[in-house]
């Protein structure tokens, strides 16, 4: 069965349109630098957000957003009034929680009814007066799967309003689901059960270069890809990685790595077309439920599956968070450090210098642990 349902699969995701980046005298749209939410003054009806930008010269902007997109943990001691909200007439299962972000769009899940929504409320370039919110069809749970715990979401285009945009949702476990929001009344979920357990906790991303959704397997040995344009059955294609120039860790480094939680992230540079596999090593701090980054390894992944360890990605900078990871040219955004990996999580913000493996990390509560990629100001 085609994901397009009644449409031809060849127009579900069209072949990529190459857009030339600005060079010489050509013009390009003004963009916001990469950023994240570093503060929120809240009231029962809304929160006023403040953003931290990589460029100190960029004018600070504040905007309002719904409370539930920033503070959605009713057990959080810093927001006790949220628990009061559900004491009378409301069920905790009806609460909306944010479950990921892609291209500046934040996804929320309404528990109890299984409705997923896309919001631009947290987008630093989006309108306060006319926020965009797109509801997707109710989720469908495959047998022996679950749709309450989500690893992440990914968009194939900059906006879900684009005709060919596809939303991919990766659930914890074997289920992967796709939906085309612009199909309006014909919008439905196409659900895939992944047989290989190494992909159960992995995160999905969209590769413009390959025109596919891709998922790295746990441990980084395999990459699974789905071609929604050519393959009517939507069967995954698997690529086995062969690693080169792996550094030999010291005994002390090995002991630390053995106690770390390792996550794998696929990142694609839109400017160079390069693909990277990033491995993050994180360890619990002082026996409490807080993870701190202890190491990062970056590999260039070739079309043939060669994963070459590198400490030099040139002018590029990688951003890893609960949002879909992305990569930018550092020289395009003053203040962004080239050859670095920035990381953002619920209780940590960290910066890793690839050249000498120096880590700067700060344990701090992040209400919305998402890095937002550059956004066109006229967006």
């Amino acid at each position: 069965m085609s994901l397009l349902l009644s449409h031809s699969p060849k127009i579900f995701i069209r072949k990529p349109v190459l857009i030339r980046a600005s060079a010489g005298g050509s013009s390009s749209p003004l963009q916001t630098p990469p950023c994240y939410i570093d503060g929120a003054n809240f009231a029962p009806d809304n929160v006023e957000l403040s953003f931290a930008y990589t460029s100190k010269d960029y004018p600070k902007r504040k905007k309002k957003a719904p409370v539930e997109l920033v503070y959605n943990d009713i057990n959080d001691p810093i927001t006790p009034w949220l628990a009061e909200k559900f004491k009378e007439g409301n069920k905790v299962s009806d609460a909306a929680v944010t479950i990921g972000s892609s291209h500046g769009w934040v996804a929320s899940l309404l528990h109890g009814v299984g409705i997923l929504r896309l919001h631009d409320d947290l987008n630093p370039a989006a309108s306060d007066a006319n926020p965009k919110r797109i509801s997707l069809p109710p989720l469908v749970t495959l047998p022996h799967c679950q749709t309450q715990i989500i690893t992440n979401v990914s968009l194939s285009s900059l906006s879900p309003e684009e005709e060919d945009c596809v939303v991919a949702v990766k659930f914890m476990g074997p289920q992967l689901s796709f939906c085309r929001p612009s199909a309006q009344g014909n919008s439905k979920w196409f659900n895939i059960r992944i047989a290989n357990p190494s992909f159960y906790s992995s995160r999905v991303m969209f590769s413009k270069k390959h025109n596919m959704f891709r998922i790295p397997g746990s441990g980084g040995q395999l990459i699974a890809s789905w071609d929604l344009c050519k393959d009517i059955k939507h069967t995954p294609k698997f690529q086995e990685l062969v690693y080169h120039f792996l550094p030999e860790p010291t005994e002390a480094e090995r002991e630390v790595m053995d106690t770390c939680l390792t996550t794998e992230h696929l990142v694609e540079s839109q400017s160079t077309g390069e693909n990277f596999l990033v491995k993050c090593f994180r360890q619990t701090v002082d026996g409490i439920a807080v993870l701190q980054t202890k190491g990062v390894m970056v590999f260039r992944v070739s079309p043939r599956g060669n994963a070459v360890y590198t400490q030099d990605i040139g002018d590029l900078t990688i951003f890893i968070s609960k949002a879909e990871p992305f990569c930018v040219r550092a020289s395009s955004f003053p203040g962004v450090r080239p050859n670095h990996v920035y990381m953002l999580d619920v209780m940590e913000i960290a910066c890793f210098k690839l050249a000498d493996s120096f880590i700067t990390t700060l344990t701090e509560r992040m209400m919305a642990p998402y890095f937002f990629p550059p956004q066109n100001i006229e967006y």
Side-chain angles (χ1 to χ4, degrees):
M1 177 180 179
S2 171
L3 177 55
L4 254 187
L5 301 174
S6 60
H7 298 267
S8 166
K10 290 187 177 180
I11 62 171
F12 184 62
I13 295 184
R14 294 175 182 169
K15 291 185 178 180
V17 178
L18 300 180
I19 302 175
R20 187 176 61 185
S22 62
S26 60
S27 61
S28 61
L30 182 64
Q31 293 184 315
T32 61
C35 66
Y36 66 94
I37 295 170
D38 71 339
N41 296 319
F42 61 89
D45 295 328
N46 60 67
V47 291
E48 185 180 67
L49 307 176
S50 58
F51 294 88
Y53 294 95
T54 51
S55 174
K56 294 181 179 179
D57 297 330
Y58 190 81
K60 303 299 182 183
R61 185 190 175 192
K62 293 186 177 182
K63 63 174 300 185
K64 293 182 179 180
V67 177
E68 61 268 20
L69 293 185
V70 182
Y71 298 101
N72 52 37
D73 184 355
I74 66 167
N75 297 313
D76 193 332
I78 70 170
T79 55
W81 52 270
L82 281 177
E84 296 292 330
K85 180 179 178 181
F86 295 99
K87 280 187 177 180
E88 297 182 3
N90 293 307
K91 297 179 181 179
V92 173
S93 61
D94 292 335
V97 296
T98 55
I99 46 86
S101 177
S102 178
H103 293 296
W105 288 80
V106 171
S108 70
L109 178 64
L110 190 63
H111 284 290
V113 293
I115 297 293
L116 193 145
R117 291 194 180 106
L118 300 173
H119 313 250
D120 73 349
D121 297 82
L122 304 190
N123 188 318
S127 169
D128 276 355
N130 299 296
K132 297 177 181 178
R133 295 154 192 175
I134 299 173
S135 293
L136 301 180
L139 295 170
V140 177
T141 306
L142 293 175
H144 309 294
C145 296
Q146 63 82 35
T147 54
Q148 295 299 302
I149 303 175
I150 296 173
T151 57
N152 79 308
V153 297
S154 173
L155 303 183
S156 66
S157 304
L158 294 179
S159 169
E161 296 179 310
E162 295 182 18
E163 180 183 358
D164 292 327
C165 181
V166 177
V167 180
V169 183
K170 177 63 180 67
F171 301 92
M172 185 68 72
Q175 183 165 332
L176 172 65
S177 299
F178 301 104
C179 179
R180 188 162 68 94
S182 65
Q184 299 178 359
N186 292 324
S187 180
K188 295 181 181 180
W189 290 102
F190 182 85
N191 304 298
I192 294 173
R193 181 183 174 87
I194 304 173
N196 192 325
S198 67
F199 297 98
Y200 285 5
S201 61
S202 302
R203 296 161 61 86
V204 64
M205 59 84 71
F206 184 75
S207 167
K208 288 187 178 295
K209 179 179 180 179
H210 298 90
N211 204 35
M212 295 180 180
F213 284 102
R214 310 184 82 198
I215 300 180
S218 178
Q221 299 302 314
L222 291 173
I223 296 177
S225 302
W226 284 264
D227 188 339
L228 304 184
C229 180
K230 297 180 180 179
D231 183 10
I232 297 178
K233 295 182 179 180
H234 308 307
T235 52
K237 297 179 181 179
F238 294 100
Q239 180 182 55
E240 185 174 358
L241 298 183
V242 179
Y243 286 85
H244 301 272
F245 306 116
L246 281 169
E248 185 64 34
T250 64
E251 186 66 27
E253 289 172 337
R254 190 180 298 277
E255 289 180 1
V256 172
M257 292 173 67
D258 287 343
T259 63
C260 284
L261 170 68
T262 306
T263 56
E264 292 79 24
H265 309 266
L266 277 177
V267 190
E268 184 172 275
S269 168
Q270 301 303 313
S271 57
T272 67
E274 294 175 287
N275 281 263
F276 300 98
L277 177 71
V278 182
K279 290 191 175 187
C280 299
F281 301 87
R282 307 181 72 210
Q283 188 183 61
T284 56
V285 180
D286 299 327
I288 59 176
V290 175
L291 292 172
Q292 187 177 81
T293 300
K294 295 297 182 180
V296 175
M297 298 179 74
V298 175
F299 301 86
R300 277 190 176 88
V301 180
S302 74
R304 294 187 177 183
N306 292 307
V308 181
Y309 173 73
T310 182
Q311 291 182 280
D312 184 8
I313 57 174
D315 188 38
L316 299 178
T317 303
I318 294 171
F319 291 82
I320 304 283
S321 68
K322 293 294 186 183
E324 185 174 5
F326 61 92
C327 184
V328 302
R329 282 193 180 276
S331 57
S332 298
F333 303 97
V336 174
R337 300 175 184 178
N339 203 36
H340 279 67
V341 179
Y342 289 81
M343 291 155 287
L344 184 67
D345 208 324
V346 177
M347 288 295 294
E348 183 192 35
I349 181 167
C351 182
F352 186 86
K353 185 178 179 182
L354 290 175
D356 59 9
S357 300
F358 183 78
I359 305 175
T360 303
T361 182
L362 174 65
T363 299
E364 183 176 333
R365 176 63 186 272
M366 297 294 169
M367 294 295 103
Y370 309 121
F371 276 127
F372 295 102
Q375 302 291 314
N376 294 343
I377 299 298
E378 65 270 25
Y379 170 75

